[in-house]
Amino acid sequence: MAETTTPTLKAAAYTAGGTERDRLDLPVDLFDGTINMPVMHQAVKAFLGNQRLGLAYTKTRGLVTGGNQKPWKQKGTGRARQGSRRAPHFVGGGTVFGPTGRKYNQTVPRQIRQLARKSAFNARAREDALIVIDNFNYDAPNTKQMVSLLAALGVTDKKVLILTDGMKPNVFLSARNLQRTHVMPYSDVSTYHILWSDVVLVESNALGYELAAVDEKPRAARPKAETKSRGAEKAERKTAKAAAKSSNTHKAARKAAKAAGKSAKPKAAAKSAKKTSARKSAGKKKGK
């Protein structure tokens, strides 16, 4: 079930600013091309099982409140004999063979965990989905810098796992608000996290490399159409909505004016008819 390949695996290398470097040969002791599917399945299954809490719980007849005496006497009622209201066939009684909490923990031997982790790294390396970053030197949390790095690598729309050399809070805080990005130390990574990600970014020091510094290449400026801020887009939307509302109000006002004019005409005709009829009646009275 295990697949092995002897050629040395290589990975793309970049700086923390997104400048491309020469491809690197991955360490042979870890990246030997071994992919063991059953072992990876066992490790992921144990990891997910250890996350479960198993809190489902029901009360048996010994835990239900009430029922300390017989509901009715043993003989003479014509009914079946009963000893307690807490019996399962009574409403509000205890549950029979219900869940009472359990653990889903699974223990996996250390060597199997190491083999599964190694297989997951080899799988990502063979897919060319493993990228080496020279060094994450963040003086302060900077999400904008992290987003620009992911954009330079072309992995913005993918699930990215960033493995640092030890604990680096600034790197973690820089990617904490990114939904598809997860940062953790290289020593704490598990098989599940590697297989969860589409692309793995590994710091060079974690793999035992010390890469020389490289000058960052200037990034090409994005066109103005793409550099609109969210505030500008919101303002444009608001103005468009206001214009639409004003046009709608003008249309409604015109319709109302037309309707008022139409309704006013019959009223005027009725008034004139009343006046003429009143004049005629007055003339008749005078003739009398």
Side-chain angles (χ1 to χ4, degrees):
M1 297 298 292
E3 301 178 7
T4 57
T5 54
T6 52
T8 304
L9 296 175
K10 293 187 176 183
Y14 289 82
T15 62
T19 302
E20 188 175 3
R21 302 174 60 108
D22 296 334
R23 292 178 67 88
L24 296 175
D25 293 334
L26 296 174
V28 182
D29 56 346
L30 179 60
F31 297 91
D32 59 354
T34 303
I35 298 178
N36 195 318
M37 297 294 291
V39 169
M40 287 193 294
H41 176 266
Q42 183 179 356
V44 172
K45 184 179 177 182
F47 178 86
L48 295 176
N50 293 338
Q51 308 305 310
R52 299 182 66 177
L53 298 178
L55 300 179
Y57 191 88
T58 57
K59 291 184 178 182
T60 60
R61 63 182 298 167
L63 301 175
V64 177
T65 304
N68 291 328
Q69 61 184 2
K70 287 174 67 65
W72 49 81
K73 62 182 181 177
Q74 183 80 352
K75 293 179 177 294
T77 61
R79 306 177 67 180
R81 54 192 177 188
Q82 303 294 337
S84 174
R85 286 279 186 182
R86 293 184 292 186
H89 58 276
F90 277 106
V91 176
T95 304
V96 182
F97 302 128
T100 56
R102 58 165 294 190
K103 295 182 179 179
Y104 295 88
N105 296 341
Q106 298 182 22
T107 57
V108 180
R110 178 176 55 85
Q111 292 181 345
I112 293 181
R113 292 199 307 269
Q114 291 178 349
L115 180 58
R117 186 169 174 262
K118 182 178 181 181
S119 299
F121 271 124
N122 283 314
R124 289 292 174 263
R126 288 176 61 176
E127 296 170 358
D128 202 16
L130 190 140
I131 302 173
V132 179
I133 306 297
D134 56 2
N135 196 2
F136 285 106
N137 287 329
Y138 283 25
D139 298 332
N142 193 335
T143 304
K144 186 177 181 180
Q145 184 176 354
M146 182 64 69
V147 171
S148 65
L149 172 61
L150 298 180
L153 300 179
V155 296
T156 306
D157 57 343
K158 297 181 180 180
K159 293 184 287 188
V160 182
L161 176 64
I162 300 176
L163 304 179
T164 59
D165 182 24
M167 293 292 295
K168 292 195 173 180
N170 291 333
V171 181
F172 173 77
L173 295 175
S174 299
R176 183 173 59 175
N177 287 337
L178 304 180
Q179 186 177 6
R180 294 172 175 262
T181 304
H182 186 60
V183 179
M184 64 187 309
Y186 175 81
S187 58
D188 295 345
V189 69
S190 66
T191 306
Y192 172 80
H193 292 99
I194 300 171
L195 297 179
W196 165 85
S197 63
D198 297 325
V199 180
V200 181
L201 307 183
V202 188
E203 196 170 4
S204 60
N205 294 333
L207 298 176
Y209 290 108
E210 291 185 3
L211 302 179
V214 175
D215 295 335
E216 297 286 349
K217 294 181 181 179
R219 298 283 304 279
R222 290 188 295 178
K224 293 183 179 180
E226 297 181 1
T227 56
K228 285 185 179 180
S229 61
R230 294 182 180 178
E233 292 179 358
K234 289 182 178 179
E236 291 180 358
R237 292 174 186 172
K238 286 183 179 179
T239 53
K241 288 182 179 179
K245 286 183 179 179
S246 62
S247 62
N248 293 334
T249 53
H250 287 309
K251 290 180 180 179
R254 290 175 184 173
K255 289 182 180 179
K258 288 182 180 179
K262 289 180 180 179
S263 61
K265 287 180 180 179
K267 289 182 180 179
K271 287 182 179 179
S272 61
K274 287 181 180 180
K275 288 180 179 179
T276 53
S277 61
R279 288 176 183 173
K280 288 181 180 179
S281 61
K284 288 180 180 180
K285 288 180 180 179
K286 288 180 180 178
K288 287 180 182 179

